[in-house]
Amino acid sequence: MNSIDFEITNSKEKIQENKDSENCQLGQSSNSYAVNKWTVDKVLEWFNRKFPSYYESCKDLFVLNQITGEALLEFNSRSLSSMNIMDKNLREQILFEIAILRIRNEYEFIRRFRAQSTN
């Protein structure tokens, strides 16, 4: 490895360290918005963070239906109703938060795709 290759490798490592440090400071893992990869437990963590007053009454519904991140991204009002989440206001709030997750998930996909294509 010549000195230029070494400098480029070092620079890439420092950039990644800075990104990892920023993510830790924000309380995010590097794949926190790869929602489609979330387990049921991760979905429950998200739900508890967003809807703490509804967590106890809804957590069993998410576990029973094995709602992963991939399934969460497919939710609509009908699917929430079929899970017996009957409060229309809560369904709308959940769908709003899921819309945000969809945007973040797409952004993460694009970011990773661009990073792979530049390497």
Side-chain angles (χ1 to χ4, degrees):
M1 178 183 301
N2 64 37
S3 64
I4 293 173
D5 290 336
F6 179 76
E7 287 177 24
I8 291 171
T9 302
N10 261 354
S11 295
K12 285 183 179 179
E13 288 172 0
K14 287 183 181 186
I15 290 169
Q16 186 59 48
E17 286 173 12
N18 288 339
K19 285 181 182 177
D20 291 345
S21 174
E22 288 172 9
N23 286 338
C24 288
Q25 289 171 3
L26 294 171
Q28 300 172 347
S29 67
S30 59
N31 68 345
S32 64
Y33 293 118
V35 180
N36 57 320
K37 304 286 186 201
W38 285 5
T39 62
V40 174
D41 288 336
K42 181 70 176 170
V43 170
L44 288 172
E45 288 175 24
W46 168 82
F47 191 85
N48 190 31
R49 203 170 47 253
K50 295 295 179 179
F51 307 99
S53 59
Y54 292 98
Y55 179 72
E56 287 301 319
S57 62
C58 293
K59 72 177 180 180
D60 291 339
L61 299 173
F62 281 79
V63 173
L64 178 66
N65 291 286
Q66 289 295 291
I67 304 303
T68 62
E70 187 174 8
L72 186 68
L73 292 173
E74 298 298 320
F75 271 6
N76 57 38
S77 187
R78 183 175 291 155
S79 54
L80 290 171
S81 293
S82 71
M83 284 179 53
N84 290 323
I85 299 176
M86 304 314 279
D87 182 332
K88 183 179 179 188
N89 186 42
L90 176 58
R91 285 196 314 265
E92 288 174 358
Q93 290 174 16
I94 292 170
L95 291 174
F96 176 79
E97 293 296 333
I98 291 171
I100 293 170
L101 288 177
R102 285 182 185 128
I103 292 166
R104 289 178 174 164
N105 196 62
E106 288 297 317
Y107 171 79
E108 179 68 15
F109 174 79
I110 292 166
R111 187 188 68 76
R112 287 176 186 244
F113 180 78
R114 290 185 72 199
Q116 288 176 353
S117 66
T118 59
N119 289 336

